[in-house]
Amino acid sequence: RLRCDWSSDVCSSDLDYLGDEYGVRWVPYYLVSQTPPSPQRGLGRLIADLYPETAQLDPSEHPFPTPYVRRRWTLQFEPSVYLNALLRDVRLASGPRSVVVREFTNLDELLMLDEPVIMNCSGLGAKPLFGDEELHPVKGQLTVLLPQPEVNYAVVGGGLHMLPRRDGIILGSTREATDWTLEPSEKQMERVMKNGRASCRERVSIPVVAVSL
């Protein structure tokens, strides 16, 4: 039987990056639903200690327009801050030429690398790189609202995934299988905005102006 004894250690190591330098902070995370939550199973149960102070809230304890709300605390990072800080740390530890940008067009070019280990993070680029004819895209889209410093919590449920960031409020989520287009969908943006207004009408002022990515 698998025991998950490492979760607390993982969380402790992440705490080293807390603060403005790495853009990592604790935020309350609300899971909203019209139906009672199901018991945690599998991996969710094994890593439950990564989410401290998890509690099921009574309707009188939250302003969301749903009867069931679970609150827990989670670590969140600001991508623009965190990724720049990690890149800086790598260069400081290994030298300015430790990060090399290079394009590969086929597998033969990839196998010419001297490195003994290659991690494939090429995404859809793996289709031409490895000749994978079964690989297909699942298009996702984010809607970015103007920053609102008072919005310091995350909300998931009811067709909405909302994350607070310094550079804006991130709304999702969308999922369109086999869609190769790169243009944002106005229909998906309107759906996400509608869900945001419905789920957070008493918690956050959602402006009409938004940018879709």
Side-chain angles (χ1 to χ4, degrees), residues 3 6 9 32 46 76 78 100 135 138 148-149 173 179 194 199 204 208 211:
R3 289 190 60 192
W6 44 264
D9 295 332
V32 300
L46 293 174
Q76 179 175 299
E78 303 279 341
V100 178
L135 189 65
V138 178
Q148 297 183 47
S173 57
D179 188 341
K194 180 180 178 181
S199 298
V204 54
V208 176
V211 179

Side-chain angles (χ1 to χ4, degrees), residues 17-194:
Y17 297 97
L18 275 174
D20 292 337
E21 182 180 1
Y22 289 92
V24 180
R25 56 178 173 147
W26 286 104
V27 297
Y29 185 94
Y30 294 92
L31 296 95
V32 300
S33 174
Q34 295 290 343
T35 58
S38 58
Q40 287 190 333
R41 300 176 181 176
L43 181 62
R45 179 176 57 83
L46 293 174
I47 64 173
D49 60 330
L50 289 179
Y51 302 99
E53 300 185 14
T54 297
Q56 189 68 33
L57 303 181
D58 292 331
S60 60
E61 297 179 296
H62 67 82
F64 297 103
T66 55
Y68 300 97
V69 175
R70 179 183 294 176
R71 182 193 61 210
R72 62 191 186 190
W73 288 83
T74 186
L75 287 172
Q76 179 175 299
F77 67 94
E78 303 279 341
S80 59
V81 178
Y82 185 72
L83 296 178
N84 285 334
L86 289 185
L87 188 60
R88 176 207 62 199
D89 289 352
V90 169
R91 286 174 168 159
L92 288 175
S94 306
R97 295 185 60 84
S98 57
V99 178
V100 178
V101 178
R102 179 176 170 183
E103 182 178 351
F104 299 95
T105 60
N106 56 63
L107 183 57
D108 291 336
E109 294 178 358
L110 193 63
L111 295 178
M112 290 177 64
L113 291 172
D114 295 330
E115 283 72 15
V117 177
I118 299 173
M119 299 184 66
N120 178 23
C121 303
S122 54
L124 287 179
K127 188 178 181 71
L129 192 59
F130 294 96
D132 187 349
E133 297 302 324
E134 295 183 358
L135 189 65
H136 65 269
V138 178
K139 180 181 177 181
Q141 175 176 308
L142 298 177
T143 298
V144 184
L145 307 182
L146 294 175
Q148 297 183 47
E150 68 276 14
V151 180
N152 56 0
Y153 56 91
V155 181
V156 174
L160 175 69
H161 196 138
M162 186 192 81
L163 297 176
R165 292 197 332 209
R166 297 176 186 174
D167 53 357
I169 298 176
I170 309 302
L171 297 182
S173 57
T174 66
R175 181 183 176 88
E176 298 175 89
T178 68
D179 188 341
W180 288 91
T181 63
L182 299 179
E183 294 76 21
S185 167
E186 190 77 18
K187 180 180 179 180
Q188 291 290 350
M189 186 191 72
E190 291 175 355
R191 179 186 64 81
V192 169
M193 293 286 289
K194 180 180 178 181

